[in-house]
Amino acid sequence: STEDMSFIDAFDVISIHHKDRLLPSGARNIGIELAKGEYITFLDSDDDIVDDYISTLLDMMKTNADCYSYRFYADRYGTKSWQHEEILWSWNVWSYLFKKEYIGDKRFDENKEFMEDVDFLRKVVVGGNVEHVDKCMVIYNDENPTSQSHKYEELKKKGLI
């Protein structure tokens, strides 16, 4: 990126690590390895968060769950929300907050180009103390034609998955 990132210097909790040609799994694994805090959450670069995202996450941390799931807006305008009834039906890793110690040595499969979130969540969430928060926290950009979900849908239509 050619963006001016000088504002990063004001924050000691932000770290930037560059590595070429990583799939999302590889980038997330690096993030897990480099994380210094007690909690980890993920956000895709083309999605947004609601205004009170950080304060809501801080409130969640007051309970003793291993991880927290929350709802998200299913369009970039924040008008359609999506509620998952069961924990694994939210296959988007960015709709969770995890205790770092709960993730432990579990990692994303860097060989998976699609559905890596489901694989990771199956390893991490199943059997855990999960708290569900009935609040939309992330605004999913459903109009990004280069997103993995659009590529997945194209392959599915062609019968390749």
Side-chain angles (χ1 to χ4, degrees), residues 93-146:
V93 74
W94 41 256
S95 64
Y96 292 85
L97 171 68
F98 304 93
K99 279 188 179 175
K100 184 180 177 186
E101 69 181 27
Y102 183 66
I103 292 176
D105 63 354
K106 300 171 193 90
R107 296 294 179 268
F108 289 88
D109 182 342
E110 295 186 28
N111 295 312
K112 286 189 173 289
E113 190 168 344
F114 298 106
M115 306 301 282
E116 74 280 355
D117 289 16
V118 173
D119 180 63
F120 178 78
L121 291 170
R122 181 185 51 77
K123 292 186 275 190
V124 174
V125 174
V126 173
N129 178 14
V130 181
E131 184 175 312
H132 302 281
V133 178
D134 189 23
K135 179 177 175 128
C136 288
M137 302 279 290
V138 174
I139 302 166
Y140 171 68
N141 181 0
D142 64 337
E143 295 180 5
N144 180 355
T146 64

Side-chain angles (χ1 to χ4, degrees), residues 13 37-41 49-65 68 70 96-99 131 133 135 137:
V13 295
E38 293 178 47
Y39 292 88
I40 295 176
T41 191
I49 55 175
V50 296
D51 290 340
D52 61 347
Y53 180 79
I54 299 296
S55 62
T56 303
L57 292 182
L58 290 170
D59 284 342
M60 287 181 199
M61 293 176 203
K62 293 177 183 173
T63 69
N64 198 27
Y68 308 83
Y70 36 87
Y96 292 85
L97 171 68
F98 304 93
K99 279 188 179 175
E131 184 175 312
V133 178
K135 179 177 175 128
M137 302 279 290

